């Protein structure tokens, strides 16, 4: 029994915090803090994904440039080669991608537009539910 990205999005919702490429790192840091999240998707022309900005990006920028980095636009430090997934992506495949590429947030795309975001926490919760359900099924089978 494998769960798809669509199933997770239906449970958690499809809201995604986004910013424009022109937002400053200070604005992005404020958004991350206020929303208590680890990443924001950067949306460019026609609502398409232009990049992703994470806590790691913020740390790297400050380590490189000091406090002056906070005035830079997110477009100057965001990850622009964003790995995406689709609603039909299975969680096992997503886990492999996240592990191999060492990232914790994957935007979900439908027809080239942002449709949600999956975090490693979402994947872990889903997998725990799946394992718990399998355990219950095994117990029911044994009890019989």
């Amino acid at each position: 029994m494998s769960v798809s990205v669509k199933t997770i999005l239906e449970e958690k919702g499809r809201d995604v915090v986004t910013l424009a490429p022109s937002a400053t790192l200070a604005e992005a840091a404020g958004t991350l803090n206020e929303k208590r999240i680890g990443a924001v998707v950067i949306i460019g022309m026609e609502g398409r994904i232009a990049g992703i900005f994470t806590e790691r990006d913020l740390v790297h920028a400050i380590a490189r440039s000091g406090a002056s980095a906070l005035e830079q636009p997110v477009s100057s430090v965001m990850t622009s080669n964003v790995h995406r997934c689709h609603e039909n992506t299975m969680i096992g495949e997503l886990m492999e991608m996240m592990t191999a590429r060492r990232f914790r947030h994957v935007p979900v795309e439908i027809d080239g537009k942002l449709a949600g975001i999956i975090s490693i926490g979402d994947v872990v919760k889903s997998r725990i539910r799946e394992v718990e359900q399998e355990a219950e099924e095994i117990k029911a089978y044994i009890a019989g």
Side-chain angles (χ1 to χ4, degrees):
M1 175 181 92
S2 190
V3 175
S4 70
V5 165
K6 183 177 182 179
T7 302
I8 291 177
L9 289 177
E10 287 172 353
E11 291 175 11
K12 78 170 234 168
R14 295 177 178 271
D15 290 342
V16 182
V17 177
T18 62
L19 289 173
S22 59
T24 66
L25 269 62
E27 292 168 328
T31 299
L32 293 173
N33 182 57
E34 176 187 322
K35 302 289 186 180
R36 300 181 56 134
I37 55 176
V40 294
V41 177
I42 308 305
I43 298 296
M45 303 295 282
E46 300 174 9
R48 298 203 180 271
I49 299 169
I52 190 165
F53 178 80
T54 68
E55 296 164 318
R56 288 180 186 172
D57 295 324
L58 179 61
V59 169
H60 289 300
I62 292 172
R64 240 187 349 261
S65 303
S68 66
L70 295 173
E71 299 309 314
Q72 296 176 11
V74 292
S75 61
S76 68
V77 297
M78 70 184 185
T79 300
S80 55
N81 184 17
V82 180
H83 293 275
R84 302 155 167 94
C85 68
H86 304 280
E87 286 189 330
N88 61 347
T89 303
M90 301 309 282
I91 293 307
E93 179 185 347
L94 189 59
M95 286 171 59
E96 287 178 26
M97 180 196 320
M98 293 173 108
T99 301
R101 301 196 184 270
R102 301 188 68 206
F103 46 68
R104 298 176 293 198
H105 301 87
V106 179
V108 181
E109 201 174 56
I110 297 176
D111 298 326
K113 299 222 174 155
L114 183 63
I117 192 164
I118 301 291
S119 72
I120 191 67
D122 300 327
V123 172
V124 169
K125 286 179 205 172
S126 174
R127 185 65 185 126
I128 288 171
R129 276 194 301 274
E130 191 175 1
V131 168
E132 287 173 344
Q133 185 174 354
E134 288 172 3
E136 288 302 316
E137 290 170 3
I138 291 169
K139 286 179 191 176
Y141 175 78
I142 292 171

